[in-house]
Every structure is written in C-alpha cells, then in structure tokens.
Amino acid sequence: MERPRAARLTCGALLWAALALPALTADRIGLNEPRTVWQQAAGAAVLAGAAGLSRRQPLAAFGLTAVLSLAATPALFTVSYGPALGVSALLLGLRAGRARPAVLGFAAVGIAGTVRIVLVGVDPAPEWLVMTGTLLFGCVFPWLGGRYWRQSRELAAEGWLRAARLEDEQRFAEERARLRERSRIAQDMHDSLGHELSLIALRAAALQVAPGLAGEHRAAAAELRGAAADATDRLHRIIGVLREDDDEPVPLTPAGETLEQLVARAAESGLPVRWEQPAGQGAAVTPGGLAERLLYRVAREALTNAARHAPGAPVVVAVTGRAEGTSVTVTNGPSTERSSRPSGGGTGLLGLRAAVTAVDGEFEAGPQGAGFRVRAYIPAQRTATRPPRPAPFIHARRRVAVGLGTAAGVGAVLVGAAFGWYAYVEKHSVLAPAAYATLRLGAPAADVERVLPERAVNDPPAERAPTPAPEGADCRYYRASGELFVSVDHFRLCFDAGRLVAKDVVPRAGLSGEGREEYEEFSQ
C-alpha cells in the first residue's frame, strides 16, 4: 500500500510542477504583464489543488483551472495558465467516463467568460473571439483527444477479452464440428450401404424367381433377400442412434458416380428404372459441385425407398438442367409385388428436405396417383459475396475523428480571426519614436492628433507608468513598436483643456525603468 501511495504523490507533484512552470516563468520573460508575488503564489496553490483532484475529480480540477484563467483575463487565454487548462481538459477526457458533465462544464465556462467580458472587457468583440477559440481549441480539442485515448485503451482491453472468448468458442466449435462430421459420415454410410443392400435384395429376388433353379437354391435366395432386408433395417436403427439430429447438411465427401451412372447400376441390379433427360440440354449439373452431390443423394434415397416399399414398381428418374437451377424428379408406380416385411418410416427424406432448403432449394415428397414422387430443385449457386462491413470500432473511430476535425477546424478559424484582430489592433496603435519626439508639451490636441495612430492601446500598462497621471487628464497609451506577443515600451500622452499636458515613456515589463534612457531626449 505504501508504494502505490508514494507513486501517486510523486505523479501528482510532477504534474503540479509541469502546470506551475509556465505560470512562474511567463512574467519573467515578458510574455505576461507582471503580477505581484501573492498573485503568483495564489495561482500556484490553485494549480496544486487541481493537480491533487485530477485523478478522482477531473471535472473539478478542470473547473479550478478555468476559474484561474478567467480571473487572470476575461479572454480565458494566458501564457501562464493556458497549458494547465489544456492538460486539465485532456485529463478530463481521459479519466471521466461520461461526456455530458464535461460538455456542461465547457458551456458554464463559456457563459462565465462571456459575462465577464461584457462587464469588464475593454474590447468585447476580439476578447470574445479569443475566449471562444481558446475554449474550443484549448479545451474541447484536448478533451476529445483524451476521450479518443480512453476509447482506444478500452477497445484494446475489450479486444483481448473478445479474443479469449473467441478461442473458447473456437474450441467448442471444433468439438462440435468433430461430432457433426461423425454424424455426416454415419448418414452417408447409411445412404450408401442402404442403397447397396437394397440392390442386393433385388438381385436375390430376381434369382429366387429365375427358371430352372432347384428348390434349395430358391430357399437360399429367399434367405439372402430376407437377410439383406434385415441388415437394412438394423443399419437404419444403428445410424439413427449415431446421428446428432435430423437436419444434417450434405455430406462432405462427393458421390463416386454421376446420376446417370447411379440409375444405370440400379437397372442392372434388377430395378425397373428409366432415365429421362430432355434433349439439347447438355450436362444437367456441374460435376463435383454442390448441386450434383445434393441431387445424387435425393435420387439415391428415392431409388432405395422405391426398391424397399414398392418392389416391382416402374421408376422414372427425370433431370432438368437450366441456367437458374437443376431439378431431379423420381416417380415410382404402384407395387406389383408384396414386400417381404413391413418397414417403418425413416428420417432420410426429412434430412434431404433440410439439406435442400438450406441452399434455398425446393423439396417435395408425397403420393403421386397410385405411386410416390420425390422432387428436388437446387438453384444455381452464386459465388459473389458482399463486401464485409466495417467493424463497430471503425465507426467509433470515424465519429471521434469527425469530432476532432470539427473542433480543430472551428477552433482554428476562431483563433485565426482573433489573432488577425489582435495583430490589426496592435499594428494600428504604434506611435513611432520619431513622431513622439516631435510632440511638445502645451501643443493643441488637434495638432498632436495629426501624428497619432488611428487607435490607442486597449489594455494600457498603467501600473508600469513611472509617474501618476495628472489629475483630471485624459491619458492615452500607444505602443513604441509593432512586435507581437511580447512586452514592448509604451508612450503615454495626457490631454487636459485641449492641450498636451504630459508625455511619458512606460518601459516594457522586466525593465523597471532601466530602458528609459533611450527615450529621455523625447521627454522634453
């Protein structure tokens, strides 16, 4: 427990040092107007509180930093506290889960800054632009970056969890695939061996009625026929136990012969079957394709059922192949012989129906007149696939990227407009030292205004003036040079009763009057 607490204290101290460094050095290098020692100490204390709250209360830490920035300037942006404001917004996005409190906090800062600009602002329009640009570009943009960082870490953690779950699911899927493969092999074995046993029974029946056969041979043929029928029934019962369910898909192993060869072999075994295919259609199905395997299974099961349940009945196998799909129809007439023994209904047709409908095909099986008909239609299989849809986290990244881009664009426009206004005002409030030298005390205000720039300084450095302004006089401040973002010397001109009554040089921050020598000749 001691080490984590010490580590937290160390991180908090380092964060406070990083936030307080600009606040303590900006005044000394002339990037801010000088502040008193107690103001700098109060700012450092507030930043220390914000650093302490940043882990558990990031919204409160951001609020403290925003209040400190507003207290320093109505426009919110200062070199002293601007970095601390951006870091607090970044930590707010990184450590706060909900977005609504942060949005409300940004809105509150914007309203408070607008009210302060209206009440105490010197030049409201550019100050409001700077405040809005700082809020968007220096607060909202880092906050969105922090949220993106947080989402990336959460997505990475969720990805590892999902990978672990997928590994477990993969193991379960492999085990289930193993069981299903065993079931498919059992079903294929049932269909193949059942068909072969039915053909054996047909050959035994033909041998039993063959002329010139001795009685003991006829009895042996009858026993062979009965044994084949019993073997078929036992095979059906065993495979029924091994099967996992009744809607197994088509076997993975393709048939070893074509439909036409299947029909020819059944006819050679004594089954009265006839093959029909319309002329001019060519190949009915693609060899080795899914349609051939399915249609082969349908024809084989229908021929087996006809041999078992309708011995002696004529059978017709018709195949129709077109561009949109292929169909096979197996029709048998009424039985002309008595079956050796009744056989219970199986699940072969049910499994075929599930396999055919799984590929959007059609399957029909039922009485046809005095006989029975089985028909299956397999549509042509299209290989075109739809392009994969982007994953959800890609949409999340796109939304975050759009948010970041919008905030950056709006902030850049506002900050650019504010900078342009600032540069315009500062450049048009410069009084050249040579023009300042031509001004004489007691000169009429009209004559003095001919050499003055069109604007005076909006935020005059009155606190750095070497002497108090004459009582009741109207004093104006002008910049001695056009440099931007640095402290420069200013000229103070005071008018009373329509005449120039005082002219003074206000040294830039950090000189404390030491740089006035170069302008002493202009004070006369």
Side-chain angles (χ1 to χ4, degrees), residues 137-206:
F137 202 68
C139 297
V140 176
F141 187 77
W143 173 72
L144 288 175
R147 284 188 61 82
Y148 178 77
W149 189 1
R150 176 190 178 92
Q151 289 178 358
S152 298
R153 296 195 308 181
E154 291 177 350
L155 286 174
E158 184 65 25
W160 285 111
L161 292 177
R162 180 172 176 79
R165 288 196 298 268
L166 288 177
E167 289 181 356
D168 295 338
E169 293 175 1
Q170 181 66 22
R171 287 195 294 268
F172 293 144
E174 290 176 355
E175 182 65 25
R176 182 172 176 82
R178 204 176 295 115
L179 295 176
R180 292 176 69 88
E181 178 65 16
R182 185 182 303 170
S183 176
R184 283 193 291 269
I185 294 174
Q187 176 64 26
D188 191 37
M189 184 172 59
H190 166 268
D191 295 342
S192 300
L193 294 182
H195 180 71
E196 298 299 332
L197 290 173
S198 298
L199 295 183
I200 292 174
L202 283 175
R203 291 180 179 273

Side-chain angles (χ1 to χ4, degrees), residues 61-80:
F62 172 77
L64 285 176
T65 310
V67 169
L68 186 61
S69 298
L70 287 175
T73 174
L76 188 63
F77 176 79
T78 60
V79 178
S80 298

Side-chain angles (χ1 to χ4, degrees), residues 253-274:
T253 305
E257 59 185 354
T258 65
L259 277 171
E260 190 170 0
Q261 292 171 346
L262 172 68
V263 174
R265 191 160 59 87
E268 292 174 358
S269 301
L271 185 67
V273 59
R274 185 176 79 255

